[in-house]
Amino acid sequence: MAEEDFSIHVVAIINHAHSGILDLTWSDGRYQHLSHGLLRARCKCADCIAGTAKANPRAQEDTDLRLTDIRSVGTYGLQLVFNDGHDRGIYPWAYLHELGETGLASITPR
């Protein structure tokens, strides 16, 4: 699905810092639970794709990772900042939605 064609949007974002879960509620009725470790492991920035980012995020999902900041990137998606200092990942809305469709996140239909 092309990102410019992505018409579903997030209606609510809740970060559960203590448990390391980011909840997204989508306009299509889905309620998605994404672990901070999963989000870090699935970062698609150039450093992570090349495997040069600190503590190679592709190695495994780190349960101690936490989001320290969530920044809106206009209508495109979110920039996520993690407690390991990584702040280069921009997560398009379509990609976040896709994480649930691929079975990587818990999804609850509403």
Side-chain angles (χ1 to χ4, degrees), residues 3 42-44 58 91-100:
E3 286 156 10
R42 297 295 186 263
C43 180
K44 293 170 81 174
R58 300 265 180 227
Y91 296 74
W93 297 123
Y95 180 60
L96 289 168
H97 195 267
E98 179 184 303
L99 286 175

Side-chain angles (χ1 to χ4, degrees), residues 15-95:
N15 183 35
H16 301 280
H18 182 71
S19 62
I21 299 293
L22 182 68
D23 286 342
L24 302 175
T25 303
W26 296 91
S27 61
D28 67 354
R30 290 183 181 202
Y31 183 72
Q32 193 173 31
H33 311 281
L34 298 160
S35 77
H36 295 177
L38 170 81
L39 290 163
R40 177 67 174 89
R42 297 295 186 263
C43 180
K44 293 170 81 174
C45 78
D47 285 344
C48 289
I49 295 299
T52 58
K54 277 195 269 180
N56 186 354
R58 300 265 180 227
Q60 70 181 39
E61 195 178 312
D62 185 343
T63 58
D64 293 327
L65 278 167
R66 294 292 184 265
L67 285 170
T68 59
D69 197 10
I70 301 169
R71 301 172 184 156
S72 175
V73 183
T75 60
Y76 185 74
L78 298 175
Q79 177 184 11
L80 302 178
V81 180
F82 296 89
N83 64 349
D84 67 351
H86 188 67
D87 65 354
R88 296 191 52 153
I90 295 176
Y91 296 74
W93 297 123
Y95 180 60

